[in-house]
Each structure stands twice: as structure tokens, then as C-alpha cells.
């Protein structure tokens, strides 16, 4: 169930959500309203049909008389509706006695089923399937004044449904055409309203993109009251971030300047002739190590870290610059770098952080690999996977220990053992992680997994 829910597509557009939800409600309302109108019109047509047939039955009873045998008969010439006198008109009448036997009909060829048993003074209105017609029946008691013998009769009138069905079809077609046109007009109006209502959000998005691209320093537009707290807080965050970074970098610059003189003094002392050569070598080595660590810590502390309002950096040109420089450094070994990154691949991060991150990884790969270094990437579930592969001896057992500061895979190579640890810190600052594994080239693979945001 969780996997199914995870694969379910989600609507990420606010406009699409509003439009779809409103359209569903509108269609449901119009559909239910149309059905209600259709049913109401159908009931009114049925009532009109029943009223028409009732009037005809009253007219038939007004034209009724008694035969010499005492049976009831009806004079058609006295009926005002001439359709009863036309065989193919679809309107016919019949008279049934209490035994259900037809004793009179308006047409000699009339084949009408006997009506249901009803009491005197009651009405029965029904729609017949065969023939396709409406039938109205009325129960009555007829008293012959000469014989004084009451007799029970049922008078029935049938009328075909052609006129009824035709009116219903015309009404339905007209109703749904007008309702469909109304829905289309309302959806068009809704689109215009949504476009007008969401225009400030779209304009705010464009301004944020300009801030990310460095084209403007803050959000400058005028927005509705509901968005003013958001724009105010965004501007405050932008100003705070910029001022914080400026103060941080200035403080680090002062620190670097203050450490420069003591280190220069120590390096000068190490070259004094009265100091033995062995101690000079140790002192010079330690001063160089201190200088390297200080330089690294200053660069690491000045790293921007994860910042939302920064322009995404193209990775392929950045990697190309690094590999071009490293190819010259390791020219004697003939190390080849193969950049397989998509030219359009971007990552939202500080450019200095990316130079240090991939500079360390590529330098380690060239230092510990043999001839082939490959850089590739793919995206999976909002995560960017960047793999740096080499064809060297690979990582030792428990490679995770190499992420600890000072740990080194090969002590024969020069270095301070802080390269992978520094890379891990940079990646973690952006909410990512490092994975150390065996490379398909036979050596080591360092996988950088970063959120694409």
C-alpha cells in the first residue's frame, strides 16, 4: 500500500489544484442541477398528460347514454376531440364492464388490455410498454333509470407517447446545450480569475529567480496584504544571510592575516644556522603542516553551506577546469580524466564549495589511481548521484573510517589525511552524504549524493 501511495502522481501546481477542484464541484453542481430540472420537467409533462386524459374522460362520460339492452355506450359525435374518430391518431378510448369485457371502443380494431381492477371514483394512470402509450382509467357506477339496476364500468383512454417523448428530447437537448455552454463560460471566467488572483505569486517567483541569479538584491515589488508578511520575511532573510556571510568572511580574513606573521617568524627561526639540521627539518615540516591546516580550515569555515537563494552552478565546466589543471600536475603519470556529466547538469551550491569538494575528490583519485579517472552522474528520486571512479587499488576494509579527520588510505603518499573528511563536511552541510564503494573500473568509487532542491 505504501508503494502504491508513493507512486501516486501529485499535483504540484496551485493553479491546477484550484481549477480541478472548482471544475469538479461545478460539474457536480451543474450535473445534479440538470438532472433535477430534467426530472421536474418530466413530472410536469406527465401531470399535463394525465390532466389532458382526465378532461377527455369527463367529456366521454358527458356523451354517455344507455342502450335498449341497458348497457352503457358513448356517442363519438358528441366528443369534441376529433382524434378519437381518427384510427391512426394514437388516441383511443374503451369501456369495460365489471367482468373486464370491452363493451365499447372508439375503434373497431382496438386491442387494449383490460385495465387493473379499481374502485368506483378512483383513477389509475400508467405507462404501457405495449403499446407504447399512456393509459388513464376511471371506475364508475352507472344506474339505469328504467331498470334501476346499477352497473360497474371502467372507462379507459390511451394516448401514444410520441408527443411526450418528442417534447422530452427537445427539452433535454436544449437544457444540456445551455448547461454545457454555461460550464464552458464559467470555466473560462474561472481561468481568468485564477490567472488574475495568482499573478502576484507568479511575479514573486520571478523576483526570487532574479535574486537567485544575482540580478537584484531583494524583493522589490508591491504585493497584496496576504503576501506582504512573506515578502518582508524573505527580504529580512536575504539581508541577514548576506550580512552574515560578509561578517564571517571579513573575520576569517582578519584571522588569516593575524596568523600569517607568527607562521613566517617560525619559518624564519627554522632556518637559523645554529639549529641542527634534523631539528630544522622537523620544525619546517611542522610549520608547513600548520600552514596547510590553517589554509584548509579558513577555506572550509568560509564555505557558504546550503543556501536557498543562490544560482545553480553548471557542473561540467567546473569539473573541466579542475581536470585540466590536474592533467598538468599528473602529466608524468599519464592520468586521463573522462568527464561524463551532462552539459546542462546544475547544482545549487556555492562555487567555492564545489571547487574544494571535487578538487579533493579528483586529486585523491589521481593520486591513488593509475590511469583512468571517470566522473559520471544520474538523478534518482530528487537526489543527484555524482560518482568519481578510478582504476587504482581501491579502498581498504572499513572505508568509512577514511571519512574521519586524519585517516589515510596510503601513508606512503604525501598529505594530511583531511581530504575526504573535508569533502564529507561540505556534503553534509548541503544535506547530502558520501558513499565509498568499489568502482566498476576496478579501483575506488566515491559517490556524492546531494538533494537537487
Amino acid at each position: 500500500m505504501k508503494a502504491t501511495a508513493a507512486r501516486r502522481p501529485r499535483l504540484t501546481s496551485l493553479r491546477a489544484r484550484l481549477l480541478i477542484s472548482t471544475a469538479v464541484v461545478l460539474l457536480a453542481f451543474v450535473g445534479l442541477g440538470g438532472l433535477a430540472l430534467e426530472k421536474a420537467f418530466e413530472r410536469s409533462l406527465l401531470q399535463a398528460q394525465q390532466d389532458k386524459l382526465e378532461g377527455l374522460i369527463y367529456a366521454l362520460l358527458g356523451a354517455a347514454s344507455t342502450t335498449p339492452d341497458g348497457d352503457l355506450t358513448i356517442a363519438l359525435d358528441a366528443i369534441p376531440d376529433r382524434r378519437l374518430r381518427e384510427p391512426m391518431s394514437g388516441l383511443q378510448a374503451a369501456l369495460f364492464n365489471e367482468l373486464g369485457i370491452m363493451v365499447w371502443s372508439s375503434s373497431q380494431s382496438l386491442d387494449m388490455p383490460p385495465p387493473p381492477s379499481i374502485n368506483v371514483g378512483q383513477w389509475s394512470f400508467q405507462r404501457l410498454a405495449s403499446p407504447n402509450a399512456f393509459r388513464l382509467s376511471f371506475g364508475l357506477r352507472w344506474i339505469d333509470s328504467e331498470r334501476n339496476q346499477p352497473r360497474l364500468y371502467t372507462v379507459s383512454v390511451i394516448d401514444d407517447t410520441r408527443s411526450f417523448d418528442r417534447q422530452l428530447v427537445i427539452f433535454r437537448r436544449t437544457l444540456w446545450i445551455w448547461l454545457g455552454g454555461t460550464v464552458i463560460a464559467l470555466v473560462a471566467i474561472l481561468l481568468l480569475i485564477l490567472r488574475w488572483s495568482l499573478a502576484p505569486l507568479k511575479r514573486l517567483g520571478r523576483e526570487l529567480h532574479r535574486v537567485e541569479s544575482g540580478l537584484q538584491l531583494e524583493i522589490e515589488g508591491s504585493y497584496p496584504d496576504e503576501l506582504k508578511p512573506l515578502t518582508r520575511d524573505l527580504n529580512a532573510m536575504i539581508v541577514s544571510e548576506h550580512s552574515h556571510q560578509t561578517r564571517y568572511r571579513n573575520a576569517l580574513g582578519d584571522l588569516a592575516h593575524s596568523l600569517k606573521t607568527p607562521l613566517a617568524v617560525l619559518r624564519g627561526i627554522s632556518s637559523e644556522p645554529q639549529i641542527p639540521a634534523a631539528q630544522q627539518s622537523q620544525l619546517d615540516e611542522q610549520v608547513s603542516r600548520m600552514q596547510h591546516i590553517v589554509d584548509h580550515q579558513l577555506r572550509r569555515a568560509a564555505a557558504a553551506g546550503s543556501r536557498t537563494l543562490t544560482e545553480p552552478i553548471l557542473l561540467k565546466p567546473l569539473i573541466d577546469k579542475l581536470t585540466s589543471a590536474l592533467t598538468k600536475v599528473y602529466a608524468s603519470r599519464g592520468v586521463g580524466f573522462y568527464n561524463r556529466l551532462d552539459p546542462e547538469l546544475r547544482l545549487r551550491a556555492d562555487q567555492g564549495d564545489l571547487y574544494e569538494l571535487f578538487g579533493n575528490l579528483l586529486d585523491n583519485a589521481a593520486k591513488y589511481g593509475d590511469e583512468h579517472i571517470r566522473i559520471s552522474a544520474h538523478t534518482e528520486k530528487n537526489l543527484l548521484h555524482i560518482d568519481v571512479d578510478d582504476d587504482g587499488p581501491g579502498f581498504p576494509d572499513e572505508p568509512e573510517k577514511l571519512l574521519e579527520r586524519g585517516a589515510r588510505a596510503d601513508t606512503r603518499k604525501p598529505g594530511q589525511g583531511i581530504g575526504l573528511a573535508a569533502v564529507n563536511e561540505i556534503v553534509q552541510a548541503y544535506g547530502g552524504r558520501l558513499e565509498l564503494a568499489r568502482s566498476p573500473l576496478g579501483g575506488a568509487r566515491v559517490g556524492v549524493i546531494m538533494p537537487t532542491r
Side-chain angles (χ1 to χ4, degrees), residues 391-421:
D391 59 347
F395 292 118
D397 296 335
E398 299 181 359
E400 293 78 11
K401 290 184 178 180
L402 298 177
L403 301 180
E404 300 175 2
R405 188 170 295 276
R408 298 173 59 194
D410 188 354
T411 56
R412 294 172 296 178
K413 303 285 185 180
Q416 304 299 327
I418 59 178
L420 280 179

Side-chain angles (χ1 to χ4, degrees), residues 155-169:
V155 59
S156 292
V157 179
I158 62 172
D159 190 10
D160 63 28
T161 62
R162 287 178 296 180
S163 176
F164 174 87
D165 293 338
R166 184 170 57 254
Q167 293 183 67
L168 193 58
V169 167

Side-chain angles (χ1 to χ4, degrees), residues 437-453:
R438 190 74 178 175
S439 169
L441 300 180
R445 162 174 283 186
V446 179
V448 180
I449 303 175
M450 301 279 276
T452 55
R453 275 188 283 273

Side-chain angles (χ1 to χ4, degrees), residues 188-200:
I189 294 172
L190 178 62
L191 282 172
L192 293 176
I193 293 175
L194 284 177
R195 183 174 181 179
W196 175 71
S197 301
L198 297 177

Side-chain angles (χ1 to χ4, degrees), residues 117-165:
S117 177
I118 55 176
N119 297 325
V120 175
Q122 288 187 343
W123 297 89
S124 174
F125 181 72
Q126 57 188 162
R127 181 166 182 167
L128 302 178
S130 180
N132 191 12
F134 295 107
R135 177 167 68 180
L136 181 64
S137 302
F138 179 69
L140 62 100
R141 180 186 293 111
W142 184 266
I143 300 177
D144 187 355
S145 58
E146 296 181 359
R147 296 174 178 79
N148 197 21
Q149 293 179 353
R151 295 186 182 184
L152 300 180
Y153 293 95
T154 300
V155 59
S156 292
V157 179
I158 62 172
D159 190 10
D160 63 28
T161 62
R162 287 178 296 180
S163 176
F164 174 87
D165 293 338

Side-chain angles (χ1 to χ4, degrees), residues 255-283:
L255 177 60
H257 183 73
S258 62
L259 289 176
K260 186 185 300 184
T261 301
L263 287 175
V265 171
L266 288 176
R267 191 174 296 279
I269 294 175
S270 66
S271 61
E272 291 291 337
Q274 62 269 26
I275 298 178
Q279 294 180 357
Q280 282 185 357
S281 177
Q282 287 183 340
L283 185 58

Side-chain angles (χ1 to χ4, degrees), residues 215-266:
L215 300 177
Q216 65 185 60
L217 297 178
E218 61 180 14
I219 298 171
E220 301 170 350
S222 178
Y223 293 94
D225 294 340
E226 292 80 5
L227 293 180
K228 284 182 179 178
L230 175 62
T231 57
R232 183 178 61 247
D233 293 344
L234 284 173
N235 279 333
M237 182 185 70
I238 294 170
V239 172
S240 175
E241 183 179 18
H242 287 172
S243 61
H244 175 73
Q245 290 295 329
T246 301
R247 292 195 306 270
Y248 205 18
R249 294 181 188 276
N250 289 340
L252 292 172
D254 295 340
L255 177 60
H257 183 73
S258 62
L259 289 176
K260 186 185 300 184
T261 301
L263 287 175
V265 171
L266 288 176

